[in-house]
Amino acid sequence: DKKAIEPITVLFFVTAALLGFLVSYLFLLTQEMFFTIIDTPQKAEKALGIPIIGVIPFGEEKLINELTLNDILSDRFNSIFSDLLNMLSLKKSKALLVTSANSGDGKSFVSVNLSIAFAQGLKNTVYVDASLRDEAGPNYFQLPNDLGLTSYLSGLAQLQDIIQPTKVPKLSFISTGPISSNPALLLSSTKFTRLMEELKLQFDIIIIDTPPLHFVDAL
């Protein structure tokens, strides 16, 4: 006797659904493991294993002392300032180094605005432009760069000669000075260590802007 064989419709759809789910899950898992895009603070914390203390909106580079108090950029930097102040107090530290992964990430923009935020928080602050491979700092403050960090480290100037007041109350600035052919050597010298000790005696907060991490200077 001949008997018609028909597919079991329910089993067919259940199997297809399970296979579709499994393939999709494996695809997403592979992307997450090997092609992760860090596009949220949560992903950054997970990838780096360190806390994210603030997120700065992307846009035009402005100084927060020129913005209104309720501007979102000012608000973000003031929030970061508050968290950093607590962290520095707990560690009993006065110095904060700012660097980045690559050139053009905005570390000097962050350094300058953090310095302004600390000064506006009534902390006697000095911004040290130790990014000796370029002259990003003077462009923000519009101050001379004839004498600066390299001048002091090379023995061509005294500390009081390179500290410049800015338009922001309680904020001072030390420029790069003439660009050095061997900045890493200057920054690793005992004279730089003595400079830091002197600045700690004169200021509440020291913000140090360094080159990106692919240069040895930051290390």
Side-chain angles (χ1 to χ4, degrees), residues 146-215:
D146 302 330
L147 293 176
L149 185 58
T150 57
S151 308
Y152 174 83
L153 296 178
S154 301
L156 302 176
Q158 300 298 314
L159 180 56
Q160 62 268 22
D161 299 328
I162 64 172
I163 299 177
Q164 303 183 68
T166 70
K167 295 179 181 179
V168 181
K170 290 189 171 292
L171 177 57
S172 298
F173 172 58
I174 296 179
S175 71
T176 60
I179 298 303
S180 168
S181 59
N182 196 344
L185 183 63
L186 291 177
L187 293 173
S188 61
S189 66
T190 55
K191 194 153 189 176
F192 183 78
T193 304
R194 290 200 299 270
L195 169 69
M196 291 299 299
E197 295 303 322
E198 287 293 327
L199 292 178
K200 288 175 182 178
L201 296 176
Q202 296 187 36
F203 296 93
D204 300 320
I205 297 292
I206 306 164
I207 306 289
I208 309 168
D209 180 11
T210 74
L213 288 172
H214 57 258
F215 292 115

Side-chain angles (χ1 to χ4, degrees), residues 125-143:
T125 306
V126 60
Y127 167 50
V128 181
D129 190 355
S131 187
L132 304 183
R133 296 176 183 270
D134 57 53
E135 300 182 16
N139 293 331
Y140 285 106
F141 291 116
Q142 300 298 314
L143 291 172

Side-chain angles (χ1 to χ4, degrees), residues 8-203:
I8 303 174
T9 308
V10 175
L11 181 61
F12 176 80
F13 280 110
V14 169
T15 303
L18 288 175
L19 284 174
F21 172 78
L22 182 61
V23 171
S24 300
Y25 176 77
L26 290 175
F27 175 75
L28 292 174
L29 183 63
T30 302
Q31 273 203 323
E32 189 69 22
M33 292 178 64
F34 301 105
F35 305 100
T36 302
I37 298 175
I38 300 178
D39 53 3
T40 66
Q42 292 74 23
K43 285 186 178 181
E45 284 188 321
K46 184 178 178 181
L48 300 174
I50 56 177
I52 303 298
I53 61 173
V55 178
I56 301 167
F58 179 79
E60 185 178 352
E61 294 191 359
K62 297 180 180 179
L63 300 185
I64 60 173
N65 62 307
E66 301 171 352
L67 304 173
T68 58
L69 290 177
N70 58 352
D71 185 272
I72 186 171
L73 187 63
S74 297
D75 182 68
R76 293 289 177 85
F77 271 106
N78 287 328
S79 176
I80 295 172
F81 148 71
S82 179
D83 289 339
L84 285 176
L85 186 61
N86 291 333
M87 293 171 64
L88 291 171
S89 298
L90 289 173
K91 293 180 177 294
K92 297 182 180 179
S93 176
K94 288 186 172 185
L96 181 68
L97 182 146
V98 182
T99 187
S100 62
N102 298 296
S103 301
D105 284 342
K107 62 173 181 56
S108 295
F109 167 70
V110 170
S111 302
V112 170
N113 276 311
L114 277 180
S115 301
I116 295 172
F118 273 101
Q120 290 179 336
L122 303 181
K123 297 295 180 181
N124 195 19
T125 306
V126 60
Y127 167 50
V128 181
D129 190 355
S131 187
L132 304 183
R133 296 176 183 270
D134 57 53
E135 300 182 16
N139 293 331
Y140 285 106
F141 291 116
Q142 300 298 314
L143 291 172
N145 193 39
D146 302 330
L147 293 176
L149 185 58
T150 57
S151 308
Y152 174 83
L153 296 178
S154 301
L156 302 176
Q158 300 298 314
L159 180 56
Q160 62 268 22
D161 299 328
I162 64 172
I163 299 177
Q164 303 183 68
T166 70
K167 295 179 181 179
V168 181
K170 290 189 171 292
L171 177 57
S172 298
F173 172 58
I174 296 179
S175 71
T176 60
I179 298 303
S180 168
S181 59
N182 196 344
L185 183 63
L186 291 177
L187 293 173
S188 61
S189 66
T190 55
K191 194 153 189 176
F192 183 78
T193 304
R194 290 200 299 270
L195 169 69
M196 291 299 299
E197 295 303 322
E198 287 293 327
L199 292 178
K200 288 175 182 178
L201 296 176
Q202 296 187 36
F203 296 93

